[in-house]
Amino acid sequence: MFISNFGSGKMVLLLPLLFAIYFLPSIIAVLLNREHKGKIMAANIPAGISWIVWFGILAWAISGREKVKF
């Protein structure tokens, strides 16, 4: 019911935005080259269940150590 009233054109634009917000900690960890980006990405998948956990992972992605470059 909701989807048919919302319109498929708007839904095509909304879904990528929602996925980007959901995986924001993973995106930040990759862009900032964090040492534990694999663990952050793995923890991000079930983190959407709890906003508290999601914000914790977001803080971890922002404040984590940068991976050493050789």
Coordinates of all heavy atoms in Angstrom, one line a residue:
M1 N 0.8 -1.2 0.0 CA 0.0 0.0 0.0 C 0.9 1.3 0.0 O 0.7 2.1 -0.8 CB -0.9 0.0 1.2 CG -1.8 1.2 1.4 SD -3.2 1.2 0.4 CE -4.6 0.7 1.0
F2 N 1.8 1.3 0.9 CA 2.7 2.5 1.0 C 3.5 2.7 -0.3 O 3.7 3.8 -0.8 CB 3.6 2.4 2.2 CG 4.7 3.5 2.3 CD1 4.3 4.7 2.7 CD2 6.0 3.2 2.0 CE1 5.2 5.8 2.7 CE2 6.9 4.2 2.1 CZ 6.5 5.5 2.5
I3 N 4.1 1.6 -0.8 CA 4.9 1.7 -2.0 C 4.2 2.2 -3.2 O 4.6 3.0 -4.0 CB 5.7 0.4 -2.2 CG1 6.6 0.1 -1.1 CG2 6.4 0.4 -3.6 CD1 7.3 -1.3 -1.2
S4 N 2.9 1.7 -3.3 CA 2.1 2.1 -4.5 C 1.7 3.5 -4.4 O 1.7 4.2 -5.4 CB 0.9 1.2 -4.6 OG 0.0 1.4 -3.5
N5 N 1.5 4.1 -3.2 CA 1.2 5.5 -3.1 C 2.5 6.4 -3.2 O 2.4 7.5 -3.6 CB 0.5 5.7 -1.7 CG -0.8 5.1 -1.7 OD1 -1.5 4.9 -2.7 ND2 -1.3 4.9 -0.5
F6 N 3.6 5.8 -2.8 CA 4.8 6.6 -2.8 C 5.4 6.8 -4.2 O 6.0 7.8 -4.5 CB 5.9 5.9 -2.0 CG 7.1 6.7 -1.6 CD1 6.9 7.8 -0.8 CD2 8.3 6.4 -2.1 CE1 8.0 8.6 -0.5 CE2 9.4 7.1 -1.8 CZ 9.3 8.2 -1.0
G7 N 5.2 5.9 -5.1 CA 5.7 6.0 -6.5 C 7.0 5.3 -6.7 O 7.9 5.5 -5.9
S8 N 7.1 4.6 -7.7 CA 8.3 3.8 -8.0 C 9.5 4.7 -8.3 O 10.7 4.4 -8.0 CB 8.1 2.8 -9.1 OG 7.8 3.4 -10.3
G9 N 9.3 5.8 -9.0 CA 10.4 6.7 -9.3 C 11.0 7.3 -8.1 O 12.3 7.4 -8.0
K10 N 10.2 7.7 -7.1 CA 10.8 8.2 -5.8 C 11.5 7.1 -5.1 O 12.5 7.4 -4.4 CB 9.7 8.8 -5.0 CG 9.2 10.1 -5.6 CD 8.1 10.7 -4.8 CE 7.5 11.9 -5.4 NZ 6.4 12.5 -4.6
M11 N 11.0 5.9 -5.1 CA 11.6 4.8 -4.4 C 12.9 4.4 -5.0 O 13.9 4.1 -4.2 CB 10.7 3.5 -4.5 CG 11.1 2.4 -3.5 SD 11.0 3.0 -1.9 CE 9.6 2.1 -1.3
V12 N 13.1 4.6 -6.3 CA 14.4 4.3 -6.9 C 15.5 5.3 -6.3 O 16.6 5.0 -6.2 CB 14.3 4.4 -8.4 CG1 15.7 4.4 -9.1 CG2 13.5 3.3 -8.9
L13 N 15.1 6.5 -6.1 CA 16.0 7.5 -5.5 C 16.2 7.4 -4.0 O 17.2 7.7 -3.5 CB 15.4 8.9 -5.8 CG 15.3 9.3 -7.3 CD1 14.6 10.7 -7.4 CD2 16.7 9.4 -7.9
L14 N 15.2 6.9 -3.3 CA 15.2 6.8 -1.9 C 16.0 5.6 -1.4 O 16.8 5.7 -0.4 CB 13.8 6.7 -1.3 CG 13.6 6.7 0.2 CD1 14.1 8.0 0.8 CD2 12.2 6.5 0.6
L15 N 16.0 4.5 -2.1 CA 16.7 3.3 -1.6 C 18.2 3.5 -1.6 O 18.8 3.1 -0.6 CB 16.3 2.1 -2.5 CG 15.0 1.4 -2.1 CD1 14.6 0.3 -3.1 CD2 14.9 1.0 -0.7
P16 N 18.8 4.0 -2.6 CA 20.3 4.2 -2.5 C 20.7 5.2 -1.3 O 21.7 5.0 -0.7 CB 20.7 4.8 -3.8 CG 19.6 4.4 -4.8 CD 18.4 4.3 -3.9
L17 N 19.8 6.2 -1.1 CA 20.1 7.1 0.0 C 20.0 6.4 1.4 O 20.8 6.6 2.2 CB 19.1 8.3 0.0 CG 19.2 9.3 1.1 CD1 20.5 10.0 1.0 CD2 18.1 10.3 1.0
L18 N 19.0 5.5 1.5 CA 18.8 4.8 2.7 C 20.0 3.8 3.0 O 20.5 3.7 4.1 CB 17.5 4.0 2.8 CG 16.3 4.9 2.9 CD1 15.0 4.1 2.7 CD2 16.3 5.7 4.2
F19 N 20.5 3.1 1.9 CA 21.6 2.3 2.0 C 22.9 3.0 2.4 O 23.7 2.6 3.1 CB 21.8 1.5 0.7 CG 20.9 0.2 0.6 CD1 20.0 0.1 -0.4 CD2 21.1 -0.8 1.5 CE1 19.2 -1.0 -0.5 CE2 20.3 -1.9 1.4 CZ 19.3 -2.0 0.5
A20 N 23.0 4.2 1.8 CA 24.2 5.0 2.1 C 24.2 5.4 3.6 O 25.3 5.4 4.2 CB 24.3 6.2 1.2
I21 N 23.1 5.8 4.1 CA 23.0 6.2 5.5 C 23.2 5.0 6.4 O 24.0 5.0 7.4 CB 21.6 6.8 5.8 CG1 21.5 8.2 5.1 CG2 21.4 7.0 7.3 CD1 20.1 8.8 5.1
Y22 N 22.7 3.8 6.0 CA 22.8 2.6 6.8 C 24.3 2.2 6.9 O 24.8 1.8 7.9 CB 22.0 1.5 6.2 CG 21.9 0.2 7.0 CD1 21.1 0.1 8.1 CD2 22.8 -0.9 6.7 CE1 21.0 -1.1 8.8 CE2 22.7 -2.0 7.4 CZ 21.9 -2.1 8.5 OH 21.8 -3.3 9.2
F23 N 25.0 2.3 5.8 CA 26.4 1.9 5.7 C 27.4 3.0 5.8 O 28.5 2.9 5.5 CB 26.7 1.1 4.4 CG 26.0 -0.3 4.4 CD1 24.9 -0.5 3.6 CD2 26.5 -1.3 5.2 CE1 24.3 -1.7 3.6 CE2 25.9 -2.5 5.2 CZ 24.8 -2.8 4.4
L24 N 26.9 4.1 6.4 CA 27.8 5.3 6.6 C 29.1 5.0 7.4 O 30.1 5.4 7.0 CB 27.0 6.4 7.2 CG 27.7 7.8 7.4 CD1 28.1 8.3 6.0 CD2 26.9 8.8 8.1
P25 N 29.0 4.2 8.5 CA 30.2 3.9 9.2 C 31.2 3.1 8.4 O 32.4 3.4 8.4 CB 29.7 3.1 10.4 CG 28.3 3.5 10.6 CD 27.8 3.8 9.3
S26 N 30.8 2.2 7.5 CA 31.6 1.5 6.6 C 32.3 2.4 5.6 O 33.5 2.3 5.3 CB 30.9 0.3 6.0 OG 30.4 -0.6 6.9
I27 N 31.5 3.3 5.0 CA 31.9 4.2 4.0 C 33.0 5.1 4.6 O 34.1 5.3 4.0 CB 30.8 5.0 3.4 CG1 29.8 4.1 2.7 CG2 31.3 6.1 2.5 CD1 28.5 4.7 2.3
I28 N 32.8 5.6 5.8 CA 33.8 6.5 6.5 C 35.0 5.7 6.8 O 36.1 6.3 6.6 CB 33.1 7.1 7.8 CG1 32.1 8.1 7.4 CG2 34.2 7.8 8.6 CD1 31.3 8.7 8.5
A29 N 34.9 4.5 7.3 CA 36.1 3.7 7.6 C 37.0 3.4 6.4 O 38.2 3.5 6.4 CB 35.7 2.4 8.2
V30 N 36.3 3.2 5.2 CA 37.1 3.0 4.0 C 37.7 4.3 3.5 O 38.9 4.3 3.1 CB 36.2 2.4 2.9 CG1 36.9 2.4 1.5 CG2 35.8 1.0 3.3
L31 N 37.0 5.4 3.5 CA 37.5 6.7 3.1 C 38.7 7.2 3.9 O 39.6 7.8 3.4 CB 36.4 7.7 3.0 CG 35.3 7.5 1.9 CD1 34.3 8.5 2.0 CD2 36.0 7.5 0.5
L32 N 38.6 6.9 5.2 CA 39.6 7.4 6.1 C 40.7 6.4 6.4 O 41.6 6.6 7.2 CB 39.0 7.8 7.5 CG 38.0 9.0 7.4 CD1 37.4 9.3 8.8 CD2 38.7 10.2 6.9
N33 N 40.6 5.3 5.7 CA 41.7 4.2 5.7 C 41.9 3.7 7.2 O 43.0 3.8 7.6 CB 43.0 4.7 5.0 CG 43.9 3.5 4.8 OD1 43.5 2.4 4.7 ND2 45.2 3.8 4.6
R34 N 40.9 3.3 7.8 CA 41.0 2.9 9.2 C 41.6 1.5 9.3 O 41.4 0.7 8.5 CB 39.6 2.9 9.9 CG 39.1 4.3 10.1 CD 40.0 5.2 10.9 NE 39.4 6.5 11.0 CZ 40.2 7.6 11.1 NH1 41.5 7.5 11.0 NH2 39.6 8.8 11.2
E35 N 42.3 1.3 10.4 CA 43.0 0.0 10.7 C 42.0 -1.1 10.8 O 42.3 -2.2 10.3 CB 43.9 0.1 11.9 CG 44.7 -1.1 12.2 CD 45.6 -0.9 13.4 OE1 45.6 0.2 14.0 OE2 46.2 -1.9 13.8
H36 N 40.9 -0.9 11.4 CA 39.9 -2.0 11.7 C 38.7 -1.9 10.7 O 37.6 -2.2 11.1 CB 39.4 -1.9 13.1 CG 40.5 -2.1 14.1 ND1 41.1 -3.3 14.3 CD2 41.2 -1.3 14.9 CE1 42.1 -3.2 15.2 NE2 42.1 -2.0 15.6
K37 N 38.9 -1.4 9.5 CA 37.8 -1.2 8.6 C 37.0 -2.5 8.3 O 35.8 -2.5 8.2 CB 38.2 -0.5 7.3 CG 39.1 -1.3 6.4 CD 39.5 -0.4 5.3 CE 40.7 -1.0 4.6 NZ 41.3 -0.1 3.6
G38 N 37.7 -3.7 8.3 CA 37.0 -4.9 8.1 C 36.1 -5.3 9.2 O 35.0 -5.7 9.0
K39 N 36.5 -5.0 10.4 CA 35.7 -5.3 11.6 C 34.5 -4.3 11.7 O 33.4 -4.7 12.1 CB 36.5 -5.2 12.9 CG 37.5 -6.3 13.0 CD 38.4 -6.1 14.3 CE 39.5 -7.1 14.3 NZ 40.3 -7.0 15.5
I40 N 34.8 -3.1 11.3 CA 33.7 -2.0 11.3 C 32.7 -2.4 10.2 O 31.5 -2.3 10.5 CB 34.3 -0.6 11.0 CG1 35.2 -0.2 12.1 CG2 33.2 0.4 10.7 CD1 36.0 1.1 11.9
M41 N 33.1 -2.9 9.1 CA 32.2 -3.3 8.0 C 31.3 -4.5 8.5 O 30.1 -4.6 8.2 CB 32.9 -3.6 6.7 CG 33.5 -2.3 6.1 SD 34.7 -2.7 4.8 CE 33.6 -2.7 3.4
A42 N 32.0 -5.5 9.1 CA 31.3 -6.6 9.6 C 30.3 -6.3 10.7 O 29.2 -6.8 10.8 CB 32.3 -7.7 10.1
A43 N 30.6 -5.4 11.6 CA 29.8 -5.0 12.7 C 28.6 -4.1 12.2 O 27.6 -4.0 12.8 CB 30.5 -4.2 13.7
N44 N 28.8 -3.4 11.1 CA 27.8 -2.5 10.5 C 26.6 -3.2 10.0 O 25.5 -2.7 10.0 CB 28.4 -1.7 9.4 CG 27.5 -0.5 9.0 OD1 27.9 0.2 8.0 ND2 26.5 -0.2 9.7
I45 N 26.7 -4.5 9.6 CA 25.6 -5.2 9.0 C 24.5 -5.4 10.0 O 23.3 -5.1 9.8 CB 26.1 -6.5 8.4 CG1 27.0 -6.2 7.2 CG2 24.9 -7.4 7.9 CD1 27.7 -7.4 6.6
P46 N 24.8 -6.0 11.2 CA 23.7 -6.2 12.2 C 23.4 -4.9 13.0 O 22.5 -4.9 13.8 CB 24.1 -7.3 13.1 CG 25.6 -7.2 13.1 CD 26.0 -6.7 11.7
A47 N 24.2 -3.9 12.9 CA 24.0 -2.7 13.7 C 22.8 -1.9 13.5 O 22.4 -1.1 14.3 CB 25.3 -1.8 13.6
G48 N 22.1 -2.1 12.4 CA 20.9 -1.3 12.1 C 19.8 -1.6 13.0 O 18.8 -0.9 13.1
I49 N 19.9 -2.7 13.7 CA 18.8 -3.1 14.6 C 18.8 -2.2 15.8 O 17.7 -1.8 16.3 CB 19.1 -4.6 15.1 CG1 19.0 -5.5 13.9 CG2 18.1 -5.0 16.2 CD1 19.4 -6.9 14.2
S50 N 19.9 -1.7 16.2 CA 20.0 -0.8 17.3 C 20.7 0.5 17.0 O 21.8 0.5 16.5 CB 20.8 -1.4 18.5 OG 21.1 -0.5 19.5
W51 N 20.0 1.6 17.1 CA 20.6 2.9 16.8 C 21.8 3.2 17.7 O 22.8 3.9 17.3 CB 19.6 4.1 16.9 CG 18.7 4.1 15.8 CD1 17.4 3.6 15.7 CD2 19.0 4.7 14.5 NE1 16.9 3.8 14.4 CE2 17.8 4.5 13.7 CE3 20.1 5.4 14.0 CZ2 17.8 5.0 12.4 CZ3 20.0 5.8 12.7 CH2 18.9 5.6 11.9
I52 N 21.8 2.7 18.9 CA 22.9 3.0 19.9 C 24.2 2.3 19.4 O 25.2 2.9 19.3 CB 22.5 2.5 21.3 CG1 21.4 3.3 21.8 CG2 23.7 2.5 22.2 CD1 20.8 2.7 23.1
V53 N 24.0 1.1 18.9 CA 25.2 0.4 18.4 C 25.7 1.0 17.1 O 26.9 1.2 16.8 CB 24.8 -1.1 18.1 CG1 26.0 -1.9 17.4 CG2 24.5 -1.8 19.4
W54 N 24.7 1.5 16.2 CA 25.1 2.1 15.0 C 25.9 3.4 15.2 O 26.9 3.6 14.6 CB 23.8 2.4 14.2 CG 24.1 3.0 12.8 CD1 24.3 2.3 11.7 CD2 24.2 4.4 12.4 NE1 24.5 3.1 10.6 CE2 24.5 4.4 11.1 CE3 24.1 5.6 13.1 CZ2 24.6 5.6 10.4 CZ3 24.3 6.7 12.4 CH2 24.6 6.8 11.1
F55 N 25.5 4.2 16.2 CA 26.2 5.4 16.5 C 27.6 5.1 17.2 O 28.6 5.8 17.0 CB 25.4 6.3 17.5 CG 24.4 7.2 16.8 CD1 23.1 6.9 16.9 CD2 24.8 8.2 15.9 CE1 22.1 7.7 16.3 CE2 23.9 8.9 15.2 CZ 22.5 8.7 15.4
G56 N 27.7 4.0 17.9 CA 28.9 3.5 18.4 C 29.9 3.1 17.3 O 31.1 3.5 17.4
I57 N 29.4 2.4 16.3 CA 30.3 2.0 15.2 C 30.7 3.3 14.4 O 31.8 3.4 13.9 CB 29.6 1.0 14.3 CG1 29.4 -0.3 15.1 CG2 30.3 0.7 13.1 CD1 28.5 -1.3 14.5
L58 N 29.8 4.2 14.3 CA 30.1 5.5 13.6 C 31.2 6.2 14.3 O 32.1 6.7 13.7 CB 28.8 6.3 13.5 CG 29.0 7.7 12.7 CD1 29.3 7.4 11.3 CD2 27.7 8.5 12.9
A59 N 31.1 6.3 15.6 CA 32.2 6.9 16.4 C 33.5 6.2 16.3 O 34.6 6.8 16.2 CB 31.8 7.0 17.9
W60 N 33.5 4.8 16.2 CA 34.6 4.0 16.0 C 35.3 4.3 14.7 O 36.5 4.4 14.5 CB 34.3 2.5 16.2 CG 35.4 1.6 16.1 CD1 36.7 1.8 16.3 CD2 35.2 0.2 15.8 NE1 37.4 0.6 16.1 CE2 36.5 -0.4 15.9 CE3 34.2 -0.7 15.6 CZ2 36.8 -1.8 15.6 CZ3 34.4 -2.0 15.4 CH2 35.7 -2.5 15.4
A61 N 34.4 4.4 13.6 CA 34.9 4.7 12.3 C 35.6 6.1 12.2 O 36.6 6.2 11.5 CB 33.8 4.5 11.3
I62 N 35.0 7.0 12.9 CA 35.6 8.4 12.8 C 36.8 8.5 13.7 O 37.8 9.2 13.2 CB 34.5 9.4 13.3 CG1 33.4 9.4 12.2 CG2 35.1 10.8 13.5 CD1 32.2 10.2 12.7
S63 N 36.9 7.9 14.8 CA 38.0 8.1 15.8 C 39.1 7.0 15.7 O 40.0 7.1 16.4 CB 37.4 8.2 17.2 OG 36.9 7.0 17.6
G64 N 38.9 6.0 14.9 CA 39.9 4.9 14.9 C 41.2 5.4 14.3 O 41.4 6.4 13.8
R65 N 42.2 4.5 14.5 CA 43.6 4.8 14.0 C 43.7 4.5 12.5 O 43.1 3.6 12.0 CB 44.6 3.9 14.7 CG 44.9 4.3 16.1 CD 46.0 3.5 16.7 NE 45.4 2.2 17.0 CZ 46.2 1.1 17.2 NH1 47.5 1.2 17.3 NH2 45.6 0.0 17.5
E66 N 44.5 5.4 11.9 CA 44.7 5.2 10.4 C 45.6 4.1 10.2 O 46.6 3.8 10.9 CB 45.3 6.5 9.8 CG 45.3 6.5 8.3 CD 45.8 7.8 7.8 OE1 45.8 8.8 8.5 OE2 46.2 7.8 6.6
K67 N 45.4 3.3 9.2 CA 46.2 2.2 8.8 C 47.6 2.7 8.3 O 47.7 3.7 7.6 CB 45.6 1.4 7.7 CG 46.3 0.1 7.4 CD 45.5 -0.7 6.4 CE 46.1 -2.1 6.2 NZ 45.4 -2.9 5.2
V68 N 48.7 2.1 8.8 CA 50.0 2.5 8.4 C 50.2 2.2 7.0 O 50.0 1.2 6.4 CB 51.0 1.7 9.3 CG1 52.5 2.1 8.9 CG2 50.8 1.9 10.8
K69 N 50.8 3.3 6.3 CA 51.0 3.2 4.9 C 52.5 2.8 4.7 O 53.4 3.4 5.3 CB 50.7 4.5 4.1 CG 49.2 4.8 4.2 CD 49.0 6.2 3.6 CE 47.5 6.5 3.8 NZ 47.2 7.9 3.3
F70 N 52.8 1.9 3.8 CA 54.2 1.5 3.5 C 54.7 2.2 2.3 O 54.1 2.3 1.3 CB 54.3 0.0 3.4 CG 54.1 -0.7 4.7 CD1 52.9 -1.4 4.9 CD2 55.1 -0.7 5.6 CE1 52.7 -2.1 6.1 CE2 54.9 -1.4 6.8 CZ 53.7 -2.1 7.0

